[in-house]
Amino acid sequence: MFENIGIFKVATGMMSHASARQNVTATNISNAETPGYTAQKVRDFDLETPRAPMAMHASRGGHLDAFATANANGFDRFDTDQPVDLENELLSAAKTQSDHQRAVSVYRSTLGILRTSLGKM
């Protein structure tokens, strides 16, 4: 029912984007000392870009082989050709947390408006 309401699609997309960014940030931090590893980024959230549905994430090789997993939840991930800068990664993690909180706020506000319009407070 809610998946057809536009603002819920936006909130879900925002949450998926924050999840993808957090995944990339965690990968960058965990590989900061890996020789030859270059930092990865996720493109900025864009309302116009269609997204793949969220998929389960395999935590290790062989885990969830039967399921197809989306690359960073369907968001474009790209190499920066730069080494990992831990300070920037920590700032990215803080911004990602803020973006996720914003998405949750949009979702809650919209749900509150919907409940009020239905007379169910």
Side-chain angles (χ1 to χ4, degrees), residues 66-95:
F67 301 98
T69 56
N71 179 20
N73 294 333
F75 292 93
D76 292 334
R77 177 188 281 200
F78 63 96
D79 285 325
T80 61
D81 296 327
Q82 300 291 323
V84 176
D85 181 5
L86 289 177
E87 185 174 317
N88 284 336
E89 296 302 324
L90 293 176
L91 289 173
S92 176
K95 184 178 183 321

Side-chain angles (χ1 to χ4, degrees), residues 14-88:
M14 291 170 68
M15 286 185 214
S16 296
H17 183 260
S19 175
R21 281 188 47 201
Q22 187 65 31
N23 184 10
V24 169
T25 300
T27 301
N28 285 343
I29 291 171
S30 66
N31 287 302
E33 297 294 321
T34 303
Y37 181 82
T38 58
Q40 295 182 343
K41 297 281 184 192
V42 174
R43 300 206 190 284
D44 291 335
F45 181 71
D46 179 12
L47 290 174
E48 302 301 319
T49 305
R51 305 287 180 235
M54 287 185 68
M56 291 187 277
H57 175 70
S59 59
R60 64 187 181 283
H63 184 220
L64 298 175
D65 277 341
F67 301 98
T69 56
N71 179 20
N73 294 333
F75 292 93
D76 292 334
R77 177 188 281 200
F78 63 96
D79 285 325
T80 61
D81 296 327
Q82 300 291 323
V84 176
D85 181 5
L86 289 177
E87 185 174 317
N88 284 336

